[in-house]
C-alpha cells in the first residue's frame, strides 16, 4: 500500500485547517499519516517504475518462446538421444573458439545447451543449441546465467534501468520503502475502520455508498492495498536480499549465521592417479579443451546417483578438481541437488542435497525464484502481474486523493492537497520517542538507502513547516521544528 493519508485526520473538504493537529488523532496516528504522506508522494515514482518493469518481466518466458522457440525447444523427441559427445562435437564445430563453461543436456522438449566462455564476454557466454536426436545446431545466443538476450534485457531494465551500478539505487530505494508504506497504510486503514462499526466491514471491500470524491477514492486505495499487502511485503523482502547495500548486509547476516547454501568440494587431491597416467584425475586440458566423451561418463554417474530432470554440467576449471552436476529445476517442488564427479573414473566424490541446506538458504533460494516468477510456473507469473497492476492502481488512487484534497476556495486555491496535520512527535511520550529513534537507526543501518532517504524526508518536512509558518498571516518568526512535530 502506498501514498497519502489513511488515518482519522479530516480532509480539507471536512473543513479542517491545514497544518493544525486535531484532537481526534493520536500522536502516533498523526506521525504515521505524515510519514505515509511524504514517503508515498516521493517514493511512488520509483514504485511505478519498478511495477512497470516488473510487469514486463513477468512475460519473459512467453517472450523467449516467441523469439527463440526454434533454438530452445524441439518439436519431437525420440527415445534414444545421441551421445553427448556427438552433440558437443557439433556445437564445437559451430563455435570453434572458447572453453566449454557448462552443458545442459536436452530434457523433455529442451535442446542441449553448450555454453562457451570467452574473456571479452565477462559473465556472459555464447550458448549453442543442439537437437539431442540429430546433433543439428539450432542456433546460438549470448546468454547470462542461462537467460536469453530478451530476458537479460528485461532483467537489467527492472534491476537498474540499464544504468549499471548507479541504476540499482532506484530499485533498492523502492524495495526499502515498499514494506514501510504497505504496513503503515494497513495500520492506518485498520484504525479508521476500527473507529466505526459500520466501516469495519469495509476493511476488505470499498464503501461505494459514500458518493464521489476523496472518500470513495480512499476506499479503493486502501482496500486494494489490504489485499496486496502480503504480496508487497514479499516483493520488498526478496528484492532487498540481492540489492546493493541492503543485500550486502543480508549476505553478511547469512555468513554470521552460517546459513549460506553449502559449497560442494571438488578436490581430487586425495584420489591416487592411475598407474602410468602422468596427471591427476580431472585435470583440465590446456586451453579449456575437454574430451567430449567425458560428459557421457559424468552424466551417467550423476543419473545413477539420483539426479533426475534437467541438470547443468560444469567441467573442472582447474587441474586436480572434479566436475559438478547440478539439478536446475526451479519449479515447485524444486530440484537442486548437486554432485561432484571424477570424470576419469566416473565416481561420485562429494554430494550436496537441497534438503540439507540451512533453512534461511532454502527460503532465500525459493524466494528468489518466486520473485522471478518461475517457482510456480504460469500461476507465479499471473500473481506477480496482478501485484504489479494492483500497485499501479494504488499509486494512481493515492495521487488522485492528493489532488482531490486540494483547497478549492478562491482565497486558498491550490493544485494539490495540503500536507497532513503536524504535531505527532511533540505529543508522543519521551520513551516512545527514544524507542522509535533507536529502531529507526537500526533499520536505517540495515537498509542504508531507507535511512538516507528518511533523513531527506525529514529535511523536506522541516522546510515545509518553515514555509508554512512564514506564509501564515500574522505569524511570528520561529525556529524550525523537528519533522513531524
Amino acid at each position: 500500500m502506498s501514498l497519502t493519508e489513511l488515518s482519522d485526520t479530516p480532509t480539507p473538504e471536512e473543513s479542517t485547517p491545514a497544518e493544525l493537529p486535531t484532537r481526534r488523532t493520536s500522536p502516533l496516528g498523526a506521525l504515521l499519516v505524515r510519514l505515509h504522506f511524504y514517503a508515498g508522494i516521493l517514493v511512488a515514482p520509483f514504485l511505478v517504475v519498478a511495477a512497470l518493469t516488473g510487469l514486463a518481466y513477468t512475460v519473459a518466458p512467453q517472450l523467449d518462446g516467441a523469439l527463440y522457440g526454434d533454438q530452445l525447444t524441439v518439436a519431437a523427441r525420440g527415445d534414444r538421444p545421441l551421445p553427448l559427445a556427438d552433440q558437443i562435437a557439433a556445437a564445437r564445430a559451430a563455435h570453434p573458439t572458447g572453453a566449454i563453461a557448462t552443458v545442459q543436456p536436452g530434457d523433455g522438449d529442451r535442446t542441449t545447451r553448450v555454453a562457451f566462455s570467452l574473456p571479452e564476454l565477462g559473465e556472459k557466454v555464447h550458448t549453442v543449441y543442439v537437437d539431442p536426436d540429430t546433433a543439428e545446431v539450432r542456433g546460438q545466443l549470448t546468454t547470462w546465467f542461462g537467460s536469453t538476450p530478451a530476458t537479460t534485457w528485461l532483467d537489467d531494465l527492472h534491476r537498474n534501468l540499464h544504468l549499471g551500478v548507479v541504476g540499482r539505487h532506484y530499485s533498492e530505494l523502492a524495495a526499502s520503502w515498499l514494506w514501510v508504506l504497505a504496513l503503515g497504510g494497513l495500520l492506518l486503514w485498520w484504525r479508521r475502520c476500527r473507529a466505526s462499526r459500520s466501516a469495519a466491514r469495509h476493511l476488505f471491500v470499498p464503501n461505494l455508498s459514500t458518493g464521489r470524491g476523496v472518500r470513495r477514492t480512499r476506499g479503493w486505495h486502501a482496500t486494494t492495498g489490504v489485499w496486496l499487502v502480503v504480496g508487497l511485503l514479499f516483493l520488498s523482502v526478496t528484492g532487498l536480499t540481492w540489492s546493493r547495500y541492503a543485500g550486502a548486509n543480508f549476505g553478511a547476516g547469512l555468513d554470521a549465521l552460517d546459513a549460506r547454501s553449502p559449497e560442494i568440494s571438488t578436490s581430487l587431491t586425495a584420489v591416487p592417479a592411475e598407474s602410468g597416467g602422468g596427471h591427476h584425475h580431472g585435470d583440465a586440458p590446456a586451453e579449456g579443451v575437454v574430451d567430449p566423451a567425458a560428459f557421457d561418463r559424468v552424466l551417467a554417474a550423476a543419473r545413477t546417483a539420483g539426479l533426475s530432470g534437467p541438470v547443468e554440467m560444469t567441467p573442472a576449471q582447474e587441474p586436480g578438481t572434479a566436475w559438478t552436476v547440478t539439478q536446475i529445476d526451479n519449479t515447485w517442488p524444486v530440484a537442486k541437488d548437486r554432485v561432484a564427479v571424477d570424470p576419469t573414473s566416473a565416481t561420485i566424490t562429494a554430494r550436496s542435497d537441497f534438503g540439507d541446506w540451512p533453512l534461511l538458504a532454502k527460503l532465500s533460494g525459493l524466494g528468489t525464484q518466486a520473485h522471478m516468477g518461475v517457482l510456480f510456473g504460469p500461476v507465479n507469473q499471473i500473481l506477480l502481474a496482478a501485484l504489479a497492476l494492483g500497485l499501479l492502481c494504488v499509486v494512481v488512487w493515492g495521487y488522485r486523493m492528493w489532488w482531490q484534497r486540494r483547497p478549492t476556495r478562491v482565497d486558498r486555491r491550490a493544485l494539490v492537497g495540503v500536507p497532513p496535520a503536524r504535531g505527532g512527535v511533540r505529543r508522543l511520550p519521551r520513551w516512545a520517542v527514544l524507542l522509535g529513534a533507536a529502531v529507526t537507526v537500526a533499520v536505517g543501518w540495515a537498509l542504508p538507502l531507507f535511512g538516507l532517504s528518511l533523513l531527506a524526508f525529514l529535511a523536506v518536512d522541516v522546510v515545509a513547516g518553515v514555509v508554512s509558518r512564514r506564509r501564515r498571516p500574522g505569524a511570528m518568526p520561529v525556529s524550525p521544528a523537528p519533522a513531524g512535530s
Side-chain angles (χ1 to χ4, degrees), residues 18-70:
E19 297 289 352
L20 294 178
T22 65
R23 293 183 179 180
R24 293 194 300 120
T25 306
S26 68
L28 179 61
L31 181 61
L32 285 176
V33 167
R34 202 161 183 84
L35 176 64
H36 196 71
F37 173 80
Y38 278 117
I41 294 298
L42 300 176
V43 175
F46 298 96
L47 294 177
V48 168
V49 174
L52 290 174
T53 56
L55 181 63
Y57 188 83
T58 61
V59 299
Q62 287 71 31
L63 186 62
D64 280 348
L67 296 177
Y68 315 114
D70 291 341

Side-chain angles (χ1 to χ4, degrees), residues 318-331:
E318 298 177 358
T321 58
W323 293 25
T324 58
V325 183
T326 305
Q327 290 178 313
I328 54 172
D329 189 353
N330 290 315
T331 56

Side-chain angles (χ1 to χ4, degrees), residues 459-480:
V460 169
D461 193 52
V462 169
V463 172
V466 172
V467 171
S468 176
R469 282 189 292 270
R470 287 182 176 178
R471 288 181 176 178
R472 193 175 302 155
M476 298 295 293
V478 293
S479 59

Side-chain angles (χ1 to χ4, degrees), residues 86-102:
D86 295 343
Q87 300 178 50
I88 293 171
R92 172 59 77 184
H95 195 290
T97 60
I100 296 179
T102 61

Side-chain angles (χ1 to χ4, degrees), residues 336-358:
K336 292 181 175 292
D337 295 346
R338 296 172 291 172
V339 294
V341 184
D342 183 336
T344 304
S345 63
T347 57
I348 305 299
T349 62
R351 185 181 186 107
S352 174
D353 290 338
F354 180 72
D356 297 330
W357 288 17

Side-chain angles (χ1 to χ4, degrees), residues 73-212:
T73 60
V74 290
R77 285 292 309 275
D79 296 333
R80 294 185 177 181
L82 294 174
L84 275 178
D86 295 343
Q87 300 178 50
I88 293 171
R92 172 59 77 184
H95 195 290
T97 60
I100 296 179
T102 61
V103 172
Q104 296 180 18
D107 182 81
D109 64 348
R110 290 160 50 96
T111 53
T112 294
R113 306 171 187 196
V114 185
F116 296 92
S117 61
L118 295 167
E120 60 268 25
L121 295 178
E123 290 184 330
K124 296 183 178 181
V125 295
H126 285 160
T127 299
V128 178
Y129 301 87
V130 182
D131 188 322
D133 295 322
T134 64
E136 175 192 0
V137 173
R138 305 294 295 270
Q140 173 184 313
L141 297 173
T142 300
T143 60
W144 179 67
F145 293 103
S147 297
T148 65
T151 296
T152 301
W153 191 90
L154 290 174
D155 183 88
D156 284 340
L157 179 68
H158 183 57
R159 287 193 307 135
N160 55 41
L161 302 179
H162 294 283
L163 298 176
V165 174
V166 174
R168 293 183 65 184
H169 296 158
Y170 110 85
S171 56
E172 182 168 355
L173 183 66
S176 297
W177 277 96
L178 182 56
W179 66 275
V180 178
L181 290 165
L183 290 180
L186 177 64
L187 179 58
L188 292 172
W189 185 239
W190 175 76
R191 291 177 69 250
R192 173 178 286 273
C193 291
R194 186 189 61 173
S196 171
R197 290 185 178 180
S198 61
R201 63 178 179 272
H202 297 297
L203 180 64
F204 297 98
V205 180
N207 185 0
L208 302 181
S209 64
T210 57
R212 299 180 180 180

